[in-house]
């Protein structure tokens, strides 16, 4: 029980997501993250090394950048964070006093999606 608690403490937040680029040996690998260069890191003993392969999404401990877990390939965690489960019920009429910001959102987000031809005419794809 005590060892399990230590493992959970080590696995505990903060975590980040990386991609395993190369397995060096049983305890080390090369990972890349979305914020910059590749790193030589330790693969913690409790990580299922049989399931690790280059291209796998892995959980990294932020302080030491050790691999502390393996993410399933079914869902990209970076995409799932941005996914909207259900459409919001609020409308622009529910937001008061932000007319200029609402107009900017409409022009920069909604209009390119609803009328892409307007942007293609001026050379924006």
């Amino acid at each position: 029980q005590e060892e399990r608690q230590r493992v959970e403490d080590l696995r505990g937040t903060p975590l980040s997501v990386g991609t395993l680029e190369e397995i060096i040996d049983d305890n080390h690998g090369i990972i890349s993250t979305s914020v910059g260069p590749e790193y030589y890191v330790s693969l913690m003993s409790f990580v299922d090394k049989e399931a690790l392969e280059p291209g796998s999404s892995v959980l990294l401990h932020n302080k030491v950048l050790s691999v502390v877990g393996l993410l399933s390939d079914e869902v990209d965690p970076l995409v799932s964070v941005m996914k909207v489960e259900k459409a919001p019920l609020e409308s622009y009429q529910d937001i008061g006093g932000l007319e200029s910001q609402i107009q900017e959102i409409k022009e920069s987000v909604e209009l390119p999606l609803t009328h892409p031809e307007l942007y293609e005419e001026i050379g924006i794809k």
Side-chain angles (χ1 to χ4, degrees):
Q1 185 69 14
E2 183 180 321
E3 288 181 16
R4 180 175 290 279
Q5 183 59 42
R6 280 197 295 193
V7 167
E8 289 305 316
D9 289 344
L10 188 58
R11 272 190 174 165
T13 57
L15 296 175
S16 61
V17 176
T19 302
L20 183 65
E21 298 295 335
E22 183 180 346
I23 298 172
I24 303 299
D25 58 36
D26 286 343
N27 299 316
H28 298 94
I30 304 291
I31 58 101
S32 62
T33 64
S34 60
V35 295
E38 294 181 343
Y39 297 98
Y40 177 81
V41 298
S42 297
L43 306 175
M44 301 306 287
S45 61
F46 48 80
V47 175
D48 181 9
K49 297 188 178 59
E50 298 293 322
L52 284 177
E53 58 185 41
S56 299
S57 294
V58 293
L59 281 174
L60 303 167
H61 192 279
N62 271 348
K63 290 183 182 175
V64 292
L65 282 184
S66 292
V67 175
V68 296
L70 178 64
L71 297 170
S72 68
D73 291 332
E74 295 172 9
V75 178
D76 185 340
L78 300 176
V79 172
S80 65
V81 167
M82 297 181 281
K83 187 171 88 174
V84 176
E85 294 295 327
K86 59 181 182 176
L89 300 175
E90 295 79 14
S91 68
Y92 288 126
Q93 287 75 30
D94 296 329
I95 303 170
L98 299 173
E99 287 78 17
S100 65
Q101 289 86 350
I102 291 171
Q103 185 63 33
E104 286 180 30
I105 290 172
K106 286 181 177 181
E107 290 174 1
S108 61
V109 176
E110 288 182 10
L111 205 53
L113 295 173
T114 57
H115 300 288
E117 68 278 0
L118 297 175
Y119 291 82
E120 289 173 4
E121 287 175 10
I122 60 172
I124 299 175
K125 294 182 181 183

